[in-house]
Amino acid sequence: MKQAVAYYRVSTHRQGKSGLGLEAQQIAVKNYCKLSEYELIREVMEVKSTRKCRAGLLQALELCREMNAILVVARLDRLGRDVEQIAGIVKSNVEIVVTDNPHANRFTIHILAAVAEDQRQRISENTKDALSAAKRRGVILGKNGTMLAIANKKAAEEFAQKLSPLLKRLKNKGITSVRSVSQELNKRGIPTFRGDGRWHPSTVYILMNRLK
């Protein structure tokens, strides 16, 4: 039985103490290891981390090298949100499995990371553009998040339009229910709007409503 090392990351101390986000990662990794008949020998959790310093991740990678084990993470963004950083990890001699896209090879992981980074950049740019335009119109930008919500809505609508051709092709193949569409998008490794999670029937329903 092949051995595996799990790496979990939560972004804040509050998340680390509460288990917010951690439990979902643990469930995803343990279910994958059980189904794939991997022996989960170590679990490394990182609570405090920055883009440049990931002591826990380095520890997990070193454990994999020492024990000839694979590194298992729940989602790609747990490895990092910087495509250059992920590229460096992928180039290491450690085999990596992302449970929400387990069939992805090294090349695919690199591409998905690049796509996710591009989406985050576009969302950020759209938000800044919307806020700047509102400010030029004399809108007072308060702290209630109203303008941010407008900017995010615009970015989400643009994202939905980009996926519209794919949804039409799926419809032509008879794939129309929100559940079947979500399964197909996950199967194809299509990133979500946020670029850091799996498609669910509820998120597909919201996507389809934006195209009406």
Side-chain angles (χ1 to χ4, degrees), residues 178 182 192 198-208 210:
V178 291
S182 65
T192 61
R198 287 180 61 80
W199 289 97
H200 300 281
S202 58
T203 51
V204 171
Y205 176 79
I206 294 172
L207 176 71
M208 290 179 169
R210 289 196 175 108

Side-chain angles (χ1 to χ4, degrees), residues 7-156:
Y7 172 69
Y8 312 119
R9 181 174 67 83
V10 289
S11 301
T12 66
H13 280 295
R14 184 171 62 182
Q15 285 183 329
K17 291 177 180 178
S18 68
L20 182 64
L22 174 61
E23 184 178 359
Q25 293 179 59
Q26 289 177 318
I27 291 173
V29 169
K30 289 180 179 179
N31 284 344
Y32 174 81
C33 288
K34 183 178 180 179
L35 291 173
S36 302
E37 297 185 347
Y38 285 125
E39 179 187 2
L40 185 58
I41 55 174
R42 294 288 294 273
E43 295 177 275
V44 178
M45 183 183 74
E46 186 143 55
V47 176
K48 185 178 180 180
S49 62
T50 66
R51 285 189 173 187
K52 294 184 178 180
C53 182
R54 293 272 175 83
L57 178 57
L58 294 178
Q59 178 191 355
L61 289 169
E62 185 59 31
L63 284 171
C64 288
R65 282 189 284 265
E66 290 177 359
M67 301 178 180
N68 193 28
I70 66 168
L71 179 69
V72 184
V73 294
R75 302 198 311 268
L76 182 60
D77 69 327
R78 296 305 84 189
L79 286 177
R81 291 180 177 271
D82 186 291
V83 66
E84 189 173 327
Q85 181 184 55
I86 291 179
I89 297 170
V90 169
K91 289 179 182 178
S92 69
N93 58 351
V94 174
E95 183 181 348
I96 301 170
V97 172
V98 182
T99 64
D100 66 353
N101 198 345
H103 300 297
N105 56 29
R106 292 173 184 269
F107 176 74
T108 307
I109 290 175
H110 194 171
I111 294 299
L112 291 174
V115 171
E117 184 176 274
D118 179 67
Q119 287 182 351
R120 287 191 295 272
Q121 181 63 32
R122 289 178 184 276
I123 292 171
S124 176
E125 291 173 354
N126 287 336
T127 301
K128 291 178 182 177
D129 290 345
L131 293 175
S132 296
K135 191 174 182 179
R136 287 195 298 270
R137 293 196 303 270
V139 176
I140 298 176
L141 305 178
K143 296 182 180 180
N144 59 6
T146 301
M147 289 310 303
L148 182 61
I150 293 173
N152 282 337
K153 182 180 179 181
K154 178 184 176 183

Side-chain angles (χ1 to χ4, degrees), residues 142-211:
K143 296 182 180 180
N144 59 6
T146 301
M147 289 310 303
L148 182 61
I150 293 173
N152 282 337
K153 182 180 179 181
K154 178 184 176 183
E157 289 173 349
E158 291 179 354
F159 176 74
Q161 289 298 327
K162 289 180 180 178
L163 285 185
S164 178
L166 174 58
L167 295 179
K168 289 179 180 177
R169 290 197 297 272
L170 294 179
K171 183 178 181 180
N172 292 335
K173 293 181 178 180
I175 302 174
T176 57
S177 70
V178 291
R179 182 174 298 280
S180 61
V181 171
S182 65
Q183 291 173 344
E184 189 65 24
L185 292 176
N186 287 327
K187 180 180 177 181
R188 296 177 180 226
I190 304 298
T192 61
F193 173 59
R194 298 298 178 186
D196 57 0
R198 287 180 61 80
W199 289 97
H200 300 281
S202 58
T203 51
V204 171
Y205 176 79
I206 294 172
L207 176 71
M208 290 179 169
N209 277 342
R210 289 196 175 108
L211 294 172

